[in-house]
Amino acid sequence: MTLARRVQELPAYLFAQISKKIAQKRAEGVDIISFGVGDPDLPTPPHILDALINASRDPANHRYPETDGLPELRASIANWYERRFGVALDPNKEVVPLIGSKEGIGHVPLCLIDPGDLAICPTPGYPVYSVSVELCGGTSYDLPLREDRGFLPDLDAIPPDIADSARLLWLNYPNNPTAAVADLDFFDRAVAFAKKHGITIVHDMAYSEVAYDEFVPPSFLEAKGARDVSIEMHSLSKSYNMTGWRIGMAVGNPELIDALTRVKTNLDSGIPQAIQRMAIAALDGPQDCIQEHNRIYQRRRDKVVAALRDIGLRVTPPKASLYIWAGLPGGMTSVDFAERLLDQTGVVVTPGVGYGASGEGFVRLSITVPDARIDEAIKRLQDFRWE
Ligand code: PLP
């Protein structure tokens, strides 16, 4: 069989080496504690599950859903944006539900990128941004996120010919993997940059509700004029522990929302309606579960940050997201460190280089690990030796 070049050229799985090692250790009977994947260990709140159970009994929900979702869901999304950010959205023109935000991130380049077109992708970054561009025949330009700039990109350093020719700029705050946050001032500057160069911005705010120390992440759409040049993706995955249910949304510029809806109509048949009912219950219902989850994550964050500092890693406690992005002392690659840590302690962290070349020198830890396992991992870390 001859596979299409776009598939043959998909990047190799960067964690292959470490995954092999994890499998080998497990086979040897080692008790592995993984800080690898950002998948909440806490369950979906009961009032959201009740909505699923009730909706599952209604035969109306046993049939094909509409791609653009239930009108009630689009209204709930718009109302949530208004309450949470003071951003008013037209639920019929500026909102489309997604089968998880990854689905929208995967499909939106089909609306913007023709073969040969350029997209600007932050590095380190969520790998789907560049892969989805490349699957459309586009090329990604690496936009480095540097520690000395708080992992915000230097938009003025992008060469003018790249800025003028690029069709799409991806942004993501609170950020995966660096856990950095952005303020409205940065978003205002990004809108000005997009307008100057005729670029569309897609802002991914999957982690906007996971925040600490009273920090409240803003929406990109709060920036003046953002709707002229951008859409924003959000997800119920991390806000309400719903990664397994697959539901998110894209909102903002009506022309791009319409294009994305048209692409989706041709490729998928929407989100199961019982799951849409869960999302309505989540967005319209009591929000105290978010504060409860964040209190748990913040406690974990503080313990893990202290333990990592104790063994000599460079860490700024994150203000948001599920991640700790820890800098290694010079001289050791992120893969070498992750392997050494796994060998000595059975603790798994993700090498930063897996998120792009600019992630070298860092490792990422996800705090979606039960407290007792975190305590055990911290005990083991105390015995870590660099030599
Ligand atoms: N965006 C970022 C930055 C992520 O880290 C993830 C998942 O980890 C997603 C989007 C996708 O989330 P979902 O498809 O569950 O909404």
Side-chain angles (χ1 to χ4, degrees):
M1 186 183 293
T2 311
L3 295 175
R5 262 201 311 279
R6 74 175 69 83
V7 173
Q8 292 181 32
E9 287 167 5
L10 275 176
Y13 182 51
L14 278 150
F15 307 121
Q17 194 180 333
I18 204 144
S19 295
K20 217 164 119 196
K21 198 148 203 174
I22 294 168
Q24 184 194 325
K25 292 270 169 199
R26 282 214 166 100
E28 288 165 11
V30 175
D31 173 34
I32 299 287
I33 304 175
S34 178
F35 289 85
V37 186
D39 188 357
D41 57 308
L42 306 167
T44 308
H47 70 283
I48 302 176
L49 293 174
D50 287 343
L52 171 73
I53 291 162
N54 292 335
S56 72
R57 298 192 206 284
D58 181 352
N61 295 328
H62 300 175
R63 310 189 68 194
Y64 281 126
E66 297 289 342
T67 303
D68 61 354
L70 291 165
E72 300 92 304
L73 173 59
R74 294 198 307 274
S76 288
I77 293 169
N79 290 336
W80 179 79
Y81 252 83
E82 175 86 60
R83 280 197 309 275
R84 169 70 176 82
F85 302 109
V87 170
L89 295 167
D90 179 339
N92 296 320
K93 296 201 174 111
E94 295 176 327
V95 174
V96 66
L98 301 170
I99 312 169
S101 58
K102 186 176 187 179
E103 179 261 305
I105 294 166
H107 284 148
V108 79
L110 289 168
C111 306
L112 295 166
I113 300 290
D114 284 317
D117 282 346
L118 198 63
I120 302 177
C121 304
T123 166
Y126 184 54
V128 190
Y129 305 140
S130 55
V131 168
S132 60
V133 164
E134 284 151 22
L135 284 173
C136 294
T139 305
S140 43
Y141 173 85
D142 286 349
L143 178 63
L145 305 183
R146 298 219 161 86
E147 189 173 19
D148 59 358
R149 297 185 62 87
F151 300 106
L152 292 173
D154 184 359
L155 297 174
D156 296 330
I158 298 172
D161 57 321
I162 300 285
D164 285 335
S165 60
R167 306 285 314 275
L168 162 63
L169 165 63
W170 292 103
L171 291 176
N172 163 223
Y173 292 96
N175 186 260
N176 175 15
T178 68
V181 296
D183 59 14
L184 260 188
D185 180 55
F186 171 73
F187 288 163
D188 282 335
R189 281 185 281 125
V191 169
F193 174 82
K195 290 197 168 179
K196 179 172 173 200
H197 296 286
I199 298 185
T200 300
I201 292 179
V202 178
H203 181 244
D204 173 6
M205 61 158 206
Y207 298 95
S208 65
E209 305 315 293
V210 185
Y212 315 115
D213 305 327
E214 317 290 314
F215 178 71
V216 183
S219 157
F220 193 76
L221 294 178
E222 288 178 60
K224 197 157 169 287
R227 200 176 320 213
D228 301 338
V229 291
S230 72
I231 63 169
E232 182 160 75
M233 308 268 181
H234 183 53
S235 169
L236 280 80
S237 286
K238 321 286 164 144
S239 316
Y240 303 101
N241 302 335
M242 287 179 66
T243 48
W245 303 110
R246 313 307 307 134
I247 189 157
M249 74 270 275
V251 304
N253 183 275
E255 193 184 353
L256 185 50
I257 292 295
D258 178 58
L260 181 57
T261 308
R262 280 191 286 140
V263 165
K264 283 171 55 56
T265 310
N266 284 282
L267 292 177
D268 69 62
S269 299
I271 304 148
Q273 280 186 182
I275 294 175
Q276 296 188 48
R277 293 284 171 198
M278 294 174 85
I280 293 169
L283 295 168
D284 291 356
Q287 301 296 301
D288 18 326
C289 55
I290 293 183
Q291 300 317 321
E292 276 166 38
H293 303 151
N294 289 348
R295 266 196 296 275
I296 295 171
Y297 291 135
Q298 185 166 325
R299 194 176 62 224
R300 294 176 181 176
R301 174 200 72 170
D302 292 342
K303 282 196 223 179
V304 175
V305 165
L308 294 173
R309 283 177 169 167
D310 279 350
I311 63 165
L313 299 187
R314 208 168 60 253
V315 196
T316 307
K319 285 192 185 149
S321 88
L322 295 172
Y323 306 114
I324 292 169
W325 186 241
L328 301 168
M332 192 180 282
T333 70
S334 55
V335 170
D336 283 348
F337 174 78
E339 287 198 335
R340 188 170 295 212
L341 188 69
L342 175 58
D343 272 335
Q344 291 184 25
T345 66
V347 170
V348 174
V349 299
T350 308
V353 71
Y355 301 94
S358 300
E360 187 50 283
F362 292 86
V363 291
R364 192 195 79 170
L365 289 89
S366 167
I367 47 180
T368 51
V369 178
D371 288 80
R373 299 295 281 162
I374 290 188
D375 293 342
E376 168 64 22
I378 288 172
K379 229 187 279 163
R380 295 188 200 171
L381 280 179
Q382 286 161 0
D383 297 331
F384 177 74
R385 297 170 318 279
W386 288 92
E387 294 304 323

